[in-house]
């Protein structure tokens, strides 16, 4: 089963757009489309889990800790932290590669960091 992505409010929207340009078949929902505006991290994680989507964020400071607490009592499709230092092009290429080569089960309860 292919990975389905959910952007959080912190993720640069241009990464979503660039990733979808690489392959429009990628299921990558934006934060506004999901109604995640100003939603606390814990609720964003719960939403992504309910929807079966790997959460994609720039929030390296607090999201990993929230994620660790979340998976202590629930299962998550996963979390990908994208460095703000990574160019839009490289971030989108990495996400495309993870989507094309991976299986959704590869990411369950895991945190991945894109350099």
């Amino acid at each position: 089963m292919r990975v389905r992505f959910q952007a959080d409010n912190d993720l640069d929207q241009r990464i979503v757009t660039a990733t979808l340009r690489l392959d429009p078949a990628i299921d990558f929902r934006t934060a506004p489309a999901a109604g995640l505006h100003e939603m606390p991290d814990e609720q964003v994680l719960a939403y992504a889990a309910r929807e079966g989507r790997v959460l994609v964020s720039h929030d390296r400071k607090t999201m990993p800790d929230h994620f660790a607490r979340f998976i202590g009592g629930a299962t998550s499709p996963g979390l990908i932290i994208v460095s703000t230092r990574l160019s839009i092009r490289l971030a989108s290429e990495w996400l495309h590669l993870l989507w094309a080569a991976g299986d959704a089960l590869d990411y369950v309860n895991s945190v991945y960091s894109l350099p």
Side-chain angles (χ1 to χ4, degrees):
M1 182 169 65
R2 286 276 168 100
V3 177
R4 298 168 57 216
F5 296 120
Q6 173 62 60
D8 78 353
N9 281 320
D10 295 329
L11 189 71
D12 188 328
Q13 175 64 39
R14 296 175 297 172
I15 293 173
V16 176
T17 302
T19 304
L20 292 172
R21 281 189 188 139
L22 293 172
D23 194 329
I26 297 172
D27 188 345
F28 202 151
R29 186 178 292 161
T30 65
L36 301 180
H37 182 67
E38 295 188 22
M39 190 180 286
D41 288 348
E42 297 85 354
Q43 291 179 9
V44 172
L45 287 162
Y47 174 84
R50 280 192 309 275
E51 295 292 314
R53 294 177 177 277
V54 173
L55 187 63
V56 184
S57 178
H58 284 306
D59 184 0
R60 187 178 308 274
K61 189 178 283 184
T62 63
M63 191 58 84
D65 289 336
H66 290 298
F67 182 79
R69 283 192 295 277
F70 181 81
I71 63 171
T75 299
S76 171
L79 172 64
I80 297 173
I81 302 293
V82 179
S83 172
T84 56
R85 296 179 192 170
L86 199 60
S87 70
I88 302 299
R89 181 183 60 83
L90 286 176
S92 63
E93 288 174 356
W94 271 105
L95 289 167
H96 177 260
L97 178 63
L98 293 174
W99 174 80
D103 183 277
L105 296 176
D106 296 337
Y107 304 96
V108 173
N109 289 344
S110 299
V111 178
Y112 288 86
S113 183
L114 299 183

